[in-house]
Amino acid sequence: RAKMQQRAGHFYFSRSMGVEIRERVRMMHALRTGFAKGELFVVYQPQIDLNTRQPVGAEALLRWQVSDGSFISPVRFIPIAEYSGLIIEIGDFVLRCACKELVRLRAAGHCALTMSVNVSQVQFRHPFFLAMLRSALEDSGAPPEYIELEITESMAMEEPDQLIQMLAEVKRTGVSIAIDDFGTGFSSLSYLQRLQIDRLKIDRAFVSEITGSARGSSIAEMVIQLGRNLGLSVVAEGVEDERQAQILQALGCPMAQGFLFAQPMSPPALYDWLREHPQVRTA
Ligand code: C2E
Ligand code: MG
Ligand code: MG
Ligand code: MG
């Protein structure tokens, strides 16, 4: 009887695995055709200065709306895009959209804003990545010093020497680098110091813990301190309520992003929002 259960369990397991894989293959095809049909687009979430509460930048986030009108989360389809290699073209599309939007924002007078773009590990390590980056910058005319690439901390831990060299070359184009979801990986501090990065983004998991126990804020506090010591800018992600914002501000966190301030928005909504939230004048 135990044996039968074991067999049944095994059968069930392998069958669900098969279903899972078939589902991924189905999604891969849907993603390829959806991308070709123009179902993917980019939305922009403002980033603000915690002290002045003024917008200082925006993060480009990918959206996929399928034909029935529903959305598929990037958390689900980005991994599929990575396995299938589609991330190269999709990532290039996001980078180009973000560069063009930055140029439009500047033309509309929003000259103080930076533009952050998420870059997948597969994309970043592709032999053509640098060429694609340079071409997106040149074709759009986007000023590189206002573009930031976000790479994840987990990605920063693999093949350190290769990454250090790659970051140096990316930095030579003039764009800056942020480590996304910081605090979720285990990168060593001495290694972090060797990377040419400009910014740390505190993962939203640590921001949501901040209002709980005294220990809840310890990771956010550590990242803010680390940023200060290494001369890096720090952005807190996923700020949803005023208490979180106030604690982060008291801890000395310079910037934040989250539903408290603004949702990710389509360009028309972003321009409306920006008109109501004036930025510091630069030029
Ligand atoms: P991420 O880069 O850490 O982006 C932040 C995520 O948090 C976004 O989810 C954003 O919509 C969400 N968020 C912002 N504020 C709040 C808040 O106050 N509360 C909560 N609960 N969530 C908030 P989204 O857009 O679903 O993206 C999820 C992840 O998918 C991103 O995490 C990023 O890793 C990946 N992703 C999105 N767009 C791209 C892209 O163009 N390329 C690549 N490679 N990855 C992308
Ligand atoms: Mg990000
Ligand atoms: Mg993040
Ligand atoms: Mg994330």
Side-chain angles (χ1 to χ4, degrees), residues 80-226:
I80 310 267
E82 287 174 337
Y83 299 142
S84 63
L86 271 170
I87 194 69
I88 303 304
E89 278 173 80
I90 292 176
D92 189 51
F93 164 75
V94 175
L95 187 61
R96 283 171 174 272
C97 287
C99 285
K100 281 185 245 167
E101 205 52 64
L102 179 71
V103 171
R104 277 188 219 113
L105 282 164
R106 296 178 69 79
H110 303 295
C111 298
L113 305 179
T114 57
M115 179 63 75
S116 305
V117 185
N118 293 286
V119 175
S120 136
Q121 138 128 295
V122 180
Q123 195 189 349
F124 197 76
R125 294 186 188 279
H126 192 277
F128 292 169
F129 180 70
L130 268 172
M132 289 192 280
L133 173 62
R134 288 200 194 97
S135 142
L137 291 169
E138 277 167 29
D139 293 351
S140 62
E145 60 277 20
Y146 286 86
I147 298 281
E148 174 182 80
L149 304 181
E150 296 188 1
I151 62 172
T152 58
E153 188 186 10
S154 51
M155 159 174 170
M157 291 186 299
E158 284 167 43
E159 299 178 83
D161 294 327
Q162 204 186 310
L163 182 74
I164 290 167
Q165 196 195 324
M166 183 62 187
L167 285 178
E169 286 186 52
V170 168
K171 290 284 298 188
R172 240 174 272 138
T173 66
V175 306
S176 41
I177 307 281
I179 306 277
D180 205 350
D181 307 337
F182 193 75
T184 57
F186 301 93
S187 50
S188 79
L189 301 185
S190 58
Y191 172 49
L192 198 64
Q193 207 172 15
R194 292 172 61 207
L195 299 177
Q196 286 194 47
I197 52 170
D198 305 277
R199 186 179 279 188
L200 302 174
K201 295 192 77 176
I202 307 173
D203 192 73
R204 137 169 131 240
F206 308 115
V207 171
S208 67
E209 280 171 9
I210 223 170
T211 46
S213 63
R215 285 183 67 187
S217 64
S218 56
I219 294 178
E221 227 175 310
M222 184 210 74
V223 180
I224 294 162
Q225 193 60 49
L226 184 65

